[in-house]
Amino acid sequence: MTREKTFTLVKSYKPFHSKFDPCPPIGRKYYRTPPNLYINFQPPNLEQFTPEEALKNGTLWKFFYDFYDNPYRERET
């Protein structure tokens, strides 16, 4: 059986909670990984933001931009 791997920038884990721990369990924790971790080298001629957009987004190259969405925020239904 082969398992298909799905690519995501959002990872999660569940911290260990002992049955002797007096505190309630924390639940699932989430973290993000930047897109630049998944490439070995920077390809030439990447599309760039304007200087003003680059300052707002924190990167010059559109390929490396990753919008942050808070996973702990309550979602509107």
Side-chain angles (χ1 to χ4, degrees), residues 53-66:
E53 289 175 318
L55 287 172
K56 290 178 188 175
N57 296 326
T59 183
L60 180 60
W61 298 279
K62 291 184 179 185
F63 180 79
F64 294 124
Y65 175 68
D66 181 30

Side-chain angles (χ1 to χ4, degrees), residues 7 9-10 13-14 20-21 25 32 35 45 50-51 53-54 67-68 77:
F7 172 77
L9 297 174
V10 179
Y13 66 97
K14 188 172 180 180
F20 302 111
D21 193 348
R32 295 186 72 83
N45 304 323
T50 64
E53 289 175 318
F67 174 76
Y68 177 75
T77 57

